[in-house]
């Protein structure tokens, strides 16, 4: 029995030493997260764009403008206000935007770049700083991470002391994110130390996730072996402490004792961190095996636009944007109003499609992979973030297409994009991660209290690891 106990002790030390550096990386980067996302998060004047009023209404319909410019086919369009004038923002077959005056039909030279700059200045309310650089970004990187979801975007860098960068999606006149110098450093620090993106650069994304899963498994075994050692040796530890106190000897193993006591105290925290982290990685690995379907691509012929976009039966004061959607063999004007209601009008005759947004959401869900099932399917518009459809998804409003098997497909109909899909295992993983890893269960106490609690938990895990390492050095 003594040999078995000693082997447990030996393996606990080996597992602990193996996990030491990863634990330090994860806890230190975890400690930085509240500073990055809360306390040191940069401020920006406007986070949501509110369209500026136009000095005059459009004089020309979309078809008139496109005919004058000899544009026979295109992908989609939008309506925007720029410098007090109405413009049609038309995505050509080359997937780039061109801007046409809705009054004169003239092309706005370098329109998408100019509009992106205008939006960046609107969000920052900075009309004086010089623009250091502006470029189209089509992939995620350390400073514009996948959590921002929106691509492609314009990256506008201001020439000012805080090094402000603003990421703008011109097609929906919205901001992806913004970073100053401090946040850029923290983002890179967190990405490399917490998510280990350097492994993806060395191998692949799958390689990164597999390595992380192995390390998290080692952490879990270290925790379980430590608890086992405490259970096997606690009488010995207790007797040694009593003898030392009786003989009034100096406490030379106080580091080991603190390691055991603190380890026992934070064992539940370590368990929730490792289990939620492992579950998160496993689901990611499983989902990455299924290639995501690319966004829907449509082609609209200008000749189809028999009904004018200027004669839709909705008051101008309520219109937020008008675009196009093709489904079930028809093409529709897709009108998004200020009340977050989306209406559909046939481009050929102007007739409204009843319950059009739900029909289109169902069409898109099927396109992205949703399969017809026996039972009642439900479609509801989501206008605010929930525990299941959280803030990280960025897109609102969306249609929630719920299948009888429990799958929820969240569709942003105004961009024809799948925001996210939540199935049984995704739902369980999402809840475990936000409650066991990010402590959202303490949201009732406020973000500051929640962040302090998560930092104390991370500090406890870090302290246990460091004390264990010091104890190992003292044994040598």
């Amino acid at each position: 029995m003594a040999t078995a106990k000693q082997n447990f002790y030996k393996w606990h030390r080996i597992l602990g030493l193996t996990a030491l550096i990863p634990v330090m990386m994860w806890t230190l980067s975890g400690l930085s997260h509240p500073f990055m996302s809360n306390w040191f998060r940069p401020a920006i004047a406007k986070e949501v764009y509110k369209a500026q009023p136009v000095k005059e209404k459009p004089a020309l319909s979309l078809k008139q403008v496109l005919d004058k410019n000899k544009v026979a086919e295109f992908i989609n369009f939008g309506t925007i206000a720029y410098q007090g004038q109405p413009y049609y923002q038309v995505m050509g077959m080359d997937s780039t935007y061109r801007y046409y005056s809705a009054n004169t039909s003239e092309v706005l030279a370098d329109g998408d770049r100019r509009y992106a700059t205008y939006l960046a200045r609107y969000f920052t309310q900075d009309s004086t700083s010089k623009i250091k650089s502006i470029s189209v970004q089509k992939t995620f990187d350390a400073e514009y991470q996948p959590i921002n979801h929106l691509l492609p975007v314009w990256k506008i860098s201001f020439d000012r002391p805080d090094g402000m960068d603003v990421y703008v999606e011109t097609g929906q006149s919205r901001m992806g994110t913004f970073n100053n110098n401090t946040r850029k450093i923290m983002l890179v620090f967190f990405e490399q130390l917490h998510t280990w993106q350097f492994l993806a650069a060395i191998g692949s994304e799958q390689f990164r996730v597999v390595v992380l899963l192995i390390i998290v498994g080692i952490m879990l075994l270290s925790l379980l072996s430590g608890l086992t050692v405490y259970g096997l040796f606690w009488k010995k530890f207790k007797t040694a402490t009593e003898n030392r106190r009786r003989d009034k000897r100096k406490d030379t193993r106080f580091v080991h004792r603190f390691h055991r006591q603190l380890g026992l105290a934070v064992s539940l925290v370590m368990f929730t961190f490792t289990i939620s982290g492992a579950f998160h990685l496993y689901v990611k690995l499983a989902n990455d095996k299924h290639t995501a379907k690319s966004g829907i691509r449509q082609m609209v012929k200008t000749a189809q636009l028999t009904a004018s976009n200027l004669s839709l039966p909705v008051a101008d004061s309520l219109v937020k944007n008008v675009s196009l959607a093709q489904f079930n063999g028809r093409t529709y004007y897709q009108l998004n109003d200020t009340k977050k209601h989306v209406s559909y009008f046939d481009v050929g005759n102007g007739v409204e499609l009843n319950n059009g947004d739900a029909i289109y959401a169902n069409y898109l869900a099927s396109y992205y992979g949703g399969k017809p099932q026996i039972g009642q399917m439900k479609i509801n518009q989501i206008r605010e973030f929930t525990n299941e459809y959280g803030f990280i998804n960025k897109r609102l409003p969306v249609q929630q297409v719920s299948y009888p098997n429990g799958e929820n497909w969240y569709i942003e109909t105004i961009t024809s994009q799948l925001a996210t899909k939540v199935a049984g295992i995704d739902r369980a993983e999402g809840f475990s991660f936000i409650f066991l890893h990010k402590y959202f269960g303490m949201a009732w106490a406020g973000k500051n209290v929640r962040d302090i609690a998560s930092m104390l938990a991370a500090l406890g895990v870090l302290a246990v690891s460091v004390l264990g390492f010091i104890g190992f050095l003292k044994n040598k």
Side-chain angles (χ1 to χ4, degrees):
M1 187 66 183
T3 303
K5 289 182 179 181
Q6 290 170 355
N7 284 335
F8 259 108
Y9 217 151
K10 175 184 175 182
W11 277 107
H12 174 63
R13 288 197 299 269
I14 292 172
L15 291 167
L17 288 171
T18 304
L20 176 64
I21 299 301
V23 168
M24 293 181 69
M25 292 172 70
W26 284 329
T27 52
L28 288 171
S29 55
L31 286 169
S32 75
H33 193 271
F35 293 96
M36 178 176 64
S37 63
N38 187 8
W39 298 318
F40 287 177
R41 186 175 187 268
I44 197 165
K46 305 279 186 181
E47 292 201 29
V48 178
Y49 177 67
K50 184 177 180 180
Q52 304 304 293
V54 295
K55 296 176 182 176
E56 51 187 305
K57 296 180 181 179
L60 301 173
S61 69
L62 174 65
K63 186 175 187 303
Q64 289 174 314
V65 168
L66 295 180
D67 283 340
K68 285 189 176 184
N69 286 277
K70 295 181 171 52
V71 179
E73 54 191 29
F74 60 102
I75 295 175
N76 214 328
F77 89 106
T79 52
I80 67 157
Y82 177 67
Q83 295 183 343
Q85 297 296 318
Y87 281 86
Y88 292 123
Q89 181 190 53
V90 179
M91 177 176 281
M93 297 308 298
D94 59 356
S95 297
T96 60
Y97 285 112
R98 292 176 179 81
Y99 293 69
Y100 301 90
S101 169
N103 288 329
T104 66
S105 75
E106 292 181 358
V107 178
L108 178 66
D110 208 14
D112 207 34
R113 179 188 295 267
R114 290 166 70 174
Y115 188 55
T117 303
Y118 162 76
L119 289 174
R121 290 196 182 278
Y122 173 88
F123 291 128
T124 58
Q125 293 291 285
D126 184 346
S127 59
T128 58
S129 297
K130 291 181 179 180
I131 302 298
K132 184 167 62 176
S133 66
I134 177 169
S135 59
V136 176
Q137 183 152 337
K138 297 182 179 181
T139 58
F140 297 111
D141 59 21
E143 294 179 5
Y144 188 71
Q145 299 181 357
I147 195 173
N148 295 300
H149 291 282
L150 307 178
L151 281 177
V153 290
W154 283 93
K155 177 183 178 181
I156 299 94
S157 301
F158 286 85
D159 187 9
R160 61 189 214 186
D162 65 352
M164 179 65 77
D165 293 339
V166 181
Y167 296 83
V168 170
E169 184 190 44
T170 53
Q172 294 300 316
S173 302
R174 60 187 170 188
M175 180 172 61
T177 192
F178 59 97
N179 299 323
N180 63 5
N181 289 329
T182 302
R183 183 171 167 81
K184 290 175 200 175
I185 294 170
M186 287 187 169
L187 281 169
V188 174
F189 177 78
F190 187 83
E191 183 182 59
Q192 298 304 325
L193 268 68
H194 208 82
T195 63
W196 290 22
Q197 285 300 320
F198 61 87
L199 290 179
I202 295 170
S204 65
E205 178 64 12
Q206 188 177 48
F207 172 72
R208 179 186 76 88
V209 176
V210 169
V211 171
L212 287 175
L213 264 174
I214 293 171
I215 298 298
V216 171
I218 291 172
M219 282 182 61
L220 181 60
L221 290 174
S222 176
L223 166 63
L224 295 176
S225 63
L227 291 174
T228 304
V229 165
Y230 190 88
L232 292 174
F233 286 90
W234 74 272
K235 285 186 178 179
K236 179 180 178 181
F237 297 147
K238 182 180 179 182
T239 301
T241 301
E242 289 175 348
N243 290 339
R244 175 182 57 78
R245 288 175 177 171
R246 185 193 60 207
D247 298 339
K248 296 181 180 181
R249 288 183 279 109
K250 184 179 179 181
D251 187 1
T252 58
R253 295 183 62 82
F254 65 92
V255 172
H256 302 77
R257 181 161 48 84
F258 288 160
H259 171 70
R260 293 193 299 270
Q261 292 172 345
L262 187 57
L264 189 64
V266 302
S267 59
L268 180 61
V269 168
M270 292 177 68
F271 184 76
T272 59
F273 277 161
T274 53
I275 289 296
S276 59
F279 194 16
H280 178 72
L281 291 166
Y282 170 76
V283 171
K284 179 170 179 58
L285 187 64
N287 288 341
D288 283 349
K289 292 180 181 178
H290 307 289
T291 304
K293 196 167 185 178
S294 59
I296 198 165
R297 183 177 174 87
Q298 63 188 24
M299 184 187 75
V300 181
K301 293 185 179 295
T302 304
Q304 295 178 255
L305 309 179
T306 306
S308 172
N309 62 292
L310 300 180
S311 59
L312 302 179
V314 178
D316 291 340
S317 60
L318 296 177
V319 177
K320 184 177 180 181
N321 191 27
V322 181
S323 57
L324 292 167
Q326 282 185 333
F327 55 99
N328 297 333
R330 307 291 296 179
T331 304
Y332 298 91
Y333 288 116
Q334 184 187 56
L335 190 149
N336 183 23
D337 66 27
T338 55
K339 296 180 180 180
K340 298 183 179 180
H341 179 71
V342 186
S343 306
Y344 294 75
F345 302 90
D346 194 295
V347 299
N349 54 34
V351 175
E352 182 175 1
L353 176 66
N354 291 328
N355 204 27
D357 208 39
I359 295 172
Y360 189 41
N362 183 29
Y363 172 85
L364 289 171
S366 298
Y367 169 82
Y368 284 110
K371 297 178 181 178
Q373 299 162 13
I374 298 174
Q376 186 177 6
M377 181 177 64
K378 297 179 180 179
I379 302 177
N380 300 300
Q381 190 186 55
I382 304 298
R383 298 187 175 189
E384 58 185 24
F385 296 112
T386 64
N387 281 338
E388 180 172 289
Y389 185 73
F391 174 75
I392 63 169
N393 293 294
K394 292 286 185 180
R395 303 174 187 271
L396 278 180
V398 293
Q399 289 283 2
Q400 177 185 318
V401 181
S402 302
Y403 288 94
N405 67 352
E407 290 181 356
N408 286 338
W409 296 68
Y410 293 91
I411 308 291
E412 187 182 44
T413 52
I414 59 172
T415 60
S416 306
Q417 292 291 326
L418 172 65
T420 191
K421 170 202 167 188
V422 180
I425 192 170
D426 301 307
R427 189 174 292 112
E429 184 277 323
F431 280 109
S432 79
F433 197 72
I434 65 173
F435 286 107
L436 300 181
H437 207 87
K438 301 183 74 174
Y439 282 34
F440 271 53
M442 295 193 65
W444 57 270
K447 193 170 184 179
N448 289 334
V449 174
R450 187 197 77 197
D451 285 343
I452 290 171
S454 66
M455 288 180 69
L456 288 174
L459 275 173
V461 175
L462 177 62
V464 168
S465 301
V466 173
L467 287 171
F469 181 60
I470 295 173
F472 169 77
L473 294 177
K474 281 182 171 291
N475 284 342
K476 297 187 73 176

